[in-house]
């Protein structure tokens, strides 16, 4: 599929709410997308999604091959090969499990195979930790996967459906995962309005890769060893351009999603109270709810503060972010990932944001707030972050760029 | 399958068409390249080939965007051979069952090296052999080393062979001191596995017919093929076939098959030649003393008692 098909005006059926956890909602999205091959390997917190899918298949709710793999490496290779053969696939992992799959993820991205999956973000070992961190997902930024980050269960379900549409578009043809903040999203139930089968069928055309590994498509040789002098940079450029094109495809897809399903989202960045904001807190994912709550209270007290929520990490909406934050005096980045020894000892989301804002005519000042080791932040931490950003805007100098607000003891 | 698939009875019946053709640049005399040709002839056109990293990836499709494959072929990561076959088989089954693709018999052959299957991809291979997808053949071409990276020991490198990671030195003289892992026996340890066999280039019809039987066995199958490698074994390229024959005639390579739970020897050397006829032709064993070569011969002699016993019983007995 490439261009948007012309459609007559549609009447959208009245949606019926279900109370679902993130895990269940994703499983329903997989069913709605009529996925053909699924590969599973257990690791918390994403496991519940596969449990739910396996139960649906066992009960005959939908038909798919579900492979119980021997490792995440095999798991991701199974779906890569299935997708290359023409099947729509689903996969997922968390934490060290995702790390174990990295080689397979990498070749899926560099080989341009439109696999779709989820990452239930989780703190990395050692020591083992069921808490939430982002480093598992963030470290895949280089792999050619599209990465989106929902705020709640409803958006998670919607994002999975949109992920298939974007990934499989011939202008993109790259893998895509949706990052669910572990536990905060995977295990929390809320009312969800699933689209109907009919709506999804209209929104999401069947998966038709240009060349399948199937004798029906002739003797396709895929991923043969190459001479760098022949197509080295050109092959990489294809992916670079796919990511560029993905931005227009994403905009189209969300517009279409709203048209068929009746739910609207801003494609890349969701802002609140930003029209006249002098300072902002920026983050992604499930904790945005708490951040927004804190900011709404601070607004009531007269502080000119807003929130910025990134919905996509790849492709990164740099130009859009510059537009949103130009003229804002100071921004606090709230994040859960680490990159030890990095510039100013900041986190990876900070690096992305700082790089994007370097091009702004009026650059806001930045502070980074790192929530590491899985300890949950509380509203008081976000209040503290907002206060510090406010002081930064007022001209206070901070001796560091990154602060660990949940740390006990001295934040050296 | 009481009548069984139709086998190739004589060299004259070998199909003239090649699905592994020109456009590759393996070493002259490469055993693995020779069997690639025979295996794909036996499998025919409705076949998908998967190539885990190794010589049969790099040397086969190297550099100038040429491809020697006249059927679909896809590179897979060194440790991903098992998963690759399962992914394709699962996709084909799902698409056919759900009416998204016309039903058809399609062969999938994963052509992995000893590093790829016996070491880094062992777990994935084992996973694959527990599934029930038909026409899914895992073929291990065993050149007894990580050849593509410049001949390093793997867990199928025989005792006493020198490799760049196990050189024969002044203090550590033997070279590789580990014993060769028996991958076909390990494959046979998967309950309900339909077909497991060993083969080499000699005799060629034995190899081709095993491929036909494996693909028609009704489940995933495994064939361990010894493929002499002039570069790694240090012998002249024209001796490849001869070395395969000697491996069999000295009893160092045992030809057997295990079909639907029944074990059978395909060749019994009578009399068995002394292993020196095979080992002394290869530079990688040149540092071994006559006593050490004799010791290997005694080990082989001892093992053969169990192979013959297994053949008599039709059941596998561990040969050590
Ligand atoms: C994960 C990974 N580790 C290491 C390598 C480097 N490597 C490339 S080819 C190869 C040798 C593979 O050996 P084998 O499977 O025995 O095949 P052969 O080269 O002997 O044909 C290795 C180790 C790789 N490609 N991938
Ligand atoms: S090194 Fe051995 S296996 Fe590799 S291409 Fe040369 S002969 Fe064949």
């Amino acid at each position: 599929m490439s261009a948007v098909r012309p459609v007559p005006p549609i009447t959208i059926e009245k949606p019926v709410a279900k109370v679902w956890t993130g895990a269940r909602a994703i499983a329903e999205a997989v069913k709605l997308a009529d996925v053909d091959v699924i590969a599973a390997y257990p690791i918390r917190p994403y496991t519940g999604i596969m449990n739910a899918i396996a139960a649906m298949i066992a009960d005959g709710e939908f038909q798919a091959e579900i492979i119980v793999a021997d490792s995440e490496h095999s798991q991701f290779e199974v779906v890569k090969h299935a997708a290359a053969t023409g099947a729509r696939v689903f996969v997922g992992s968390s934490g060290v499990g995702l790390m174990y799959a990295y080689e397979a993820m990498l070749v899926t991205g560099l080989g341009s195979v439109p696999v779709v999956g989820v990452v239930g973000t989780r703190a990395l070992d050692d020591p083992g930790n069921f808490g939430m961190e982002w480093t598992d997902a963030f470290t895949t930024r280089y792999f050619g996967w599209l990465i989106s980050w929902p705020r709640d269960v409803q958006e998670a379900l919607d994002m999975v459906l949109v992920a298939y549409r974007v990934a499989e578009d011939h202008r993109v043809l790259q893998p895509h995962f949706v990052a669910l903040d572990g536990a905060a999203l995977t295990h929390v139930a809320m009312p969800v309005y699933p689209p109907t089968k009919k709506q999804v069928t209209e929104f999401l055309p069947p998966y038709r890769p240009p060349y399948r590994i199937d004798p029906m498509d002739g003797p396709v040789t895929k991923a043969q060893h190459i001479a760098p002098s022949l197509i080295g940079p050109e092959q990489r450029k294809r992916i670079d351009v796919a990511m560029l094109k993905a931005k227009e495809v994403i905009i189209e897809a969300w517009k279409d999603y709203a048209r068929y399903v009746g739910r609207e989202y801003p494609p890349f960045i969701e802002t609140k109270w930003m029209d006249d904001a002098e300072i902002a807190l920026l983050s992604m994912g499930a904790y945005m709810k708490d951040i927004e709550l804190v900011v709404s209270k601070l607004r009531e007290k007269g502080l000119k503060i807003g929130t910025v929520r990134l919905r996509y990490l790849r492709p990164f909406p740099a130009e859009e972010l510059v537009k949103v934050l130009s003229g804002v005096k100071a921004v606090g980045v709230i994040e859960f990932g680490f990159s030890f020894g990095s510039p100013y000892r900041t986190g990876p989301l900070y690096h992305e944001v700082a790089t994007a804002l370097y091009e702004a005519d009026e650059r806001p000042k930045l502070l980074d707030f790192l929530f590491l080791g899985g300890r949950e932040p509380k509203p008081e931490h976000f209040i503290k972050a907002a206060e510090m950003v406010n002081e930064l805007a007022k001209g206070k100098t901070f001796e560091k760029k990154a602060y660990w607000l949940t740390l006990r003891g001295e934040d050296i | 399958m009481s009548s069984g698939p139709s086998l190739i009875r004589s060299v004259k019946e070998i199909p003239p068409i090649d699905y592994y053709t020109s456009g590759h640049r393996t070493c002259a005399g490469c055993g693995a390249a020779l069997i690639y040709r025979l295996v794909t002839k036996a499998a025919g056109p409705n076949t998908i080939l998967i190539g885990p990293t190794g010589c049969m990836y790099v040397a086969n499709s190297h550099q100038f965007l040429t491809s020697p494959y006249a059927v679909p072929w896809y590179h897979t990561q060194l440790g991903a051979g098992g998963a690759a076959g399962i992914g394709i088989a699962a996709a084909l089954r799902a698409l056919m069952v759900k009416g998204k693709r016309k039903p058809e018999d399609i062969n999938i052959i994963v052509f992995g090296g000893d590093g790829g299957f016996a070491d880094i991809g062992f777990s994935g291979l084992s996973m694959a052999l527990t599934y029930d997808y038909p026409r899914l053949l895992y073929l291990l071409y065993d050149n007894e080393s990580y050849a593509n990276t410049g001949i390093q020991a793997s867990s199928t490198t025989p005792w006493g062979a020198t490799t760049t990671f196990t050189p024969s030195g002044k203090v550590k003289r033997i070279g590789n001191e580990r014993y060769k892992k028996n991958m076909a026996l390990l494959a046979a340890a998967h309950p309900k596995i339909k077909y497991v066999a060993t083969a080499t280039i000699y005799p060629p019809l034995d190899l081709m017919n095993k491929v036909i039987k494996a693909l028609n066995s009704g489940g995933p199958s495994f064939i361990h093929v010894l493929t002499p490698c002039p570069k790694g074994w240090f012998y002249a390229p024209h001796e490849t076939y001869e070395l395969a024959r000697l491996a069999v005639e000295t009893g160092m390579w045992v030809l057997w098959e295990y079909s639907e739970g029944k074990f059978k020897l395909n060749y019994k050397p009578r009399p068995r030649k002394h292993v020196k006829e095979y080992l002394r032709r290869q530079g990688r064993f040149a540092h071994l003393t006559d006593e050490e070569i004799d010791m290997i011969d005694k080990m082989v002699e001892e093992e053969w008692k169990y192979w013959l016993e297994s053949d008599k019983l039709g059941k596998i007995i561990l040969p050590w």
Side-chain angles (χ1 to χ4, degrees), chain B residues 26-27 30 55 143 147 229-231:
Chain B
T26 58
C27 307
C30 173
C55 279
N143 51 25
C229 160
K231 183 176 157 193

Side-chain angles (χ1 to χ4, degrees), chain B residues 136-150:
Chain B
L136 173 55
L137 166 59
Y138 291 93
L139 189 142
L140 164 56
Y141 68 94
D142 187 2
N143 51 25
E144 301 190 321
S145 80
Y146 287 83
N148 188 60
T149 35

Side-chain angles (χ1 to χ4, degrees), chain A residues 4 42 49 116 119 124 169 177 203 208 218 252 259 292 307 313 358 366 398:
Chain A
V4 182
I49 299 168
V116 170
V119 173
L124 295 169
D169 188 294
F177 73 77
F203 167 72
R208 296 216 194 291
E252 266 173 39
R259 179 151 54 154
E292 286 162 10
T307 58
L313 181 66
Y358 193 80
L366 290 178
F398 285 83

